[in-house]
Amino acid sequence: MSQKQPEALTVGLDVGGTKVEGVLLDAAGQMLGTIRLPTTPGSDGVLDSVIAAVHGLTNAAHVRIPDLGGVGIGIPGIVDPVRGSVSHAVNVGIDGVPLALVERGSAALGGVPVTVENDLNVAALGASHAMGLDGADLAFLALGTGVAAGIVLGGQVLRGVSGAAGEIGHVPIDRQGPACACGQVGCIEVFASGSALASRWPARHGGHAPAELFAAAAAGDPVAQAIKNDLADAVACAVRILGLTVDVRHVVLGGGVAGLGASLLDAVRVSLEDQARMSPFLASLNLAKRVSLAPVGVPVAAIGAALVGRGKVPAWKL
């Protein structure tokens, strides 16, 4: 195995339920290549998908795998960064027995160092990297199948005691609201997740359900308008909670629902401004100005994973 240098190339992989998205970064953090492959579910399938993505990136860039400085992997589920394992990642078919992703991945890559981290944490790191010095205090609020946030404070990932920091989707905001899969009722997730929106407003023309919902709301459909308002208010509540608890400079909206773009951002800002009118204290926080959208076409989670792969991203310990 060749001697690893601090300036060596690094690979970052974002493992999701349907795809693995990867990047190859140089010493300056610039992308030299990208890849997207389907995810094969299950422990062995995920490992095979990871190895295939690394080989695809290095082959395309004419780089030898032993010359990599490290491989970082972002993956959903309960991640133990110390043991290098992942469990209860049901979206990728890992449940019950933890997958020793670091040990098995490094062995399959000839000893290249492998690091694993929660997918939202790497997304937050990638978004922070994209913003430069201004992104040192940031939350990446993912509006996907569920709702959760990755949090970076002072350039460090906030994991929490049990790794549950940022599980903001399971904060109840309506005691009379629908039941949530977590066992509570009226959680943010039952109003703002992609799965909740698809249930309340199924795609009727084979397209993107949230986009069809917003189009119907703009056309004056009262049911669509009510669901849209619930969504905007729930996301605004999430932003408000993040602002009041960890006081980040930026809350970046990502995930499938955030694909709505400016129309979602505008609706969330309107809701935040409405909430601020009732409280001079909230108004002083300027939360509406702190919200933005994840950069379009930039694989922030994979980039964050590559940064983790360098072994230079410390974590807050509570």
Side-chain angles (χ1 to χ4, degrees), residues 74-308:
I75 191 167
I78 298 177
V79 174
D80 186 334
V82 176
R83 292 184 174 87
S85 64
V86 58
S87 59
H88 303 292
V90 294
N91 287 346
V92 295
I94 298 173
D95 203 4
V97 179
L99 168 61
L101 191 51
V102 166
E103 180 181 354
R104 293 182 62 183
S106 181
L109 294 171
V112 171
V114 174
T115 309
V116 64
E117 180 58 88
N118 178 268
D119 59 340
L120 289 177
N121 289 345
V122 298
L125 285 168
S128 174
H129 176 76
M131 287 187 170
L133 294 177
D134 194 47
D137 296 286
L138 172 149
F140 183 91
L141 181 58
L143 309 172
T145 303
V147 174
I151 301 169
V152 173
L153 294 176
Q156 298 178 316
V157 173
L158 176 65
R159 294 197 187 101
V161 173
S162 60
E167 287 291 347
I168 197 167
H170 295 300
V171 175
I173 58 174
D174 183 357
R175 295 178 63 183
Q176 306 301 318
C180 180
C182 75
Q184 302 182 98
V185 296
C187 294
I188 289 173
E189 189 166 294
V190 302
F191 298 108
S193 67
S195 55
L197 290 179
S199 176
R200 298 183 72 187
W201 189 272
R204 304 176 184 185
H205 307 290
H208 187 230
E212 291 190 14
L213 168 68
F214 270 54
D221 186 304
V223 175
Q225 289 173 339
I227 297 172
K228 174 188 173 182
N229 290 339
D230 285 345
L231 164 64
D233 290 346
V235 176
C237 280
V239 172
R240 186 176 74 236
I241 293 168
L242 289 166
L244 292 171
T245 53
V246 288
D247 198 24
V248 287
R249 183 180 300 276
H250 301 284
V251 177
V252 179
L253 305 182
V257 177
L260 287 163
S263 58
L264 173 66
L265 182 61
D266 291 344
V268 172
R269 284 176 170 167
V270 167
S271 183
L272 285 167
E273 289 165 353
D274 287 344
Q275 293 171 10
R277 288 190 186 97
M278 300 181 292
S279 167
F281 169 62
L282 280 179
S284 71
L285 299 179
N286 293 316
L287 293 175
K289 294 182 179 179
R290 300 195 201 184
V291 187
S292 61
L293 295 169
V296 177
V298 178
V300 291
I303 291 172
L307 298 176
V308 168

